[in-house]
Amino acid sequence: MTGRIIKAISGFYFVLLEDGRILQCKARGVFKKREVKPLVGDLVTVDPLGIEEGIITDLFPRYSQLVRPTIANVDQALLVLSLVQPALSLYQLDKMLAMLALSAIQVGIGLTKVDLPNASQVLEEVKPLYESLRYPVFALDVRNEVGLDAVRGFLNGKITVLTGQSGVGKSTLLKTLVPASQALTGHVGHRSKRGRHTTTHVELYPYTEGFIADTPGFSQYDFDQLEPTDLGALFREIDQQSADCEFRGCQHVEEIGCAVIGAMKAGVIASTRYHSYVQLLEELKQAKARRY
Ligand SMILES: Nc1nc2c(ncn2[C@@H]2O[C@H](COP(=O)(O)OP(=O)(O)OP(=O)(O)O)[C@@H](O)[C@H]2O)c(=O)[nH]1
Ligand SMILES: [Mg+2]
Ligand SMILES: [Zn+2]
């Protein structure tokens, strides 16, 4: 039988079968010998042992793999940020877009809390910019299910990770999109001291032909290993303009001969994007200095 690993907890894998049953499985010893570890997202072959348990006997080849959170076969990410409460940080948004550009998966941007005061003002400033960079942007009032149809279209048939900082509405969105998500495997996370549910582990929830995963967030580790000179390629418009910089390896911080700064001054590159780039460049240089 084949199925998909939707959750992994202390050596147990929960495998969703084509008929909708979920088997709690151990992996066959041979994986340990080969030093491969089954991951959430993996398509696997299982031998059932009774009606609720089984053994994973084989893994299908992966077509993608995210690290930290570790999920196999992800097609795309939906970045979730709130427009207000907490206030939208364009720096955070640009940083997450750059980090995801490293893993070469598709990205959509969900902007929540459009119902709150001052949110539509922020939305009007931000939406056109990111749409012009060819990112799909979804304005959402998650609690009243406003804007969700467009998100449903984006998710359909894909394996999508939801990611974003705490309190922006990822779990609320998941609960609305997949009402069975809580019933399916129990709880989504633990209840924090402040009384809110916080997501602590990765889990895939079946969604029309695809899956959605609420994640505790992406690790910055691999991003910090990046060479500062490679950062520009992760900003679509900077990458495009940098072809015209006069010096090879231009980091776009010295004005003379820099096409990127020229494009920013001409309004072709948004100054907020350029500033995010410069701030990230600084972070990467510091991370690099710490490595030596
Ligand atoms: N007004 C408004 N509130 C929202 C919206 N979406 C989520 N919220 C509220 O924001 C709070 C945080 O939502 P969660 O879904 O727990 O946030 P999260 O991103 O899962 O947070 P972590 O699990 O800590 O990462 C909850 O009180 C939600 O009811 C929205 O579109 N509008
Ligand atoms: Mg959550
Ligand atoms: Zn340059």
Side-chain angles (χ1 to χ4, degrees), residues 164-172 174-175 188-189 196-200 214-216:
Q165 294 189 316
S166 192
V168 296
K170 298 179 298 294
S171 297
T172 311
L174 182 69
K175 236 180 292 172
V188 171
R196 263 191 335 102
H197 280 289
T198 290
T199 305
T200 49
D214 187 8
T215 68

Side-chain angles (χ1 to χ4, degrees), residues 5 11 13 25-39 42-47 55-60 62:
I5 300 178
Y13 299 94
C25 299
K26 283 272 188 191
R28 214 171 64 174
V30 64
F31 293 118
K32 225 173 219 159
K33 268 181 236 145
R34 280 194 273 150
E35 291 188 3
V36 285
K37 207 174 162 243
L39 300 177
D42 267 328
L43 206 54
V44 297
T45 310
V46 290
D47 274 350
I55 292 208
I56 297 176
T57 55
D58 214 349
L59 296 184
F60 285 76
R62 293 171 186 148

Side-chain angles (χ1 to χ4, degrees), residues 80 82 84-86 111-117 140-146 163-175 188 192 194 196-200 214-217:
V80 187
S82 59
V84 291
Q85 296 179 33
L111 300 173
T112 62
K113 311 197 186 184
V114 73
D115 52 299
L116 293 181
L140 309 171
D141 168 359
V142 186
R143 294 193 301 191
N144 293 304
E145 304 200 21
V146 174
T163 184
Q165 294 189 316
S166 192
V168 296
K170 298 179 298 294
S171 297
T172 311
L173 183 61
L174 182 69
K175 236 180 292 172
V188 171
S192 69
R194 301 215 305 281
R196 263 191 335 102
H197 280 289
T198 290
T199 305
T200 49
D214 187 8
T215 68

Side-chain angles (χ1 to χ4, degrees), residues 238 241-242 244-247 249-261 277:
I238 290 177
Q241 298 292 332
S242 67
D244 295 330
C245 288
E246 276 178 31
F247 306 105
C250 179
Q251 295 195 356
H252 323 305
V253 287
E254 304 289 346
E255 188 160 356
I256 295 165
C258 179
V260 168
I261 294 181
Y277 166 79

Side-chain angles (χ1 to χ4, degrees), residues 88 90 93 111 122-131:
L88 181 64
L90 291 183
L93 173 55
L111 300 173
V122 180
L123 179 69
E124 272 165 42
E125 289 163 18
V126 167
K127 194 171 190 261
L129 168 58
Y130 290 90
E131 283 181 337

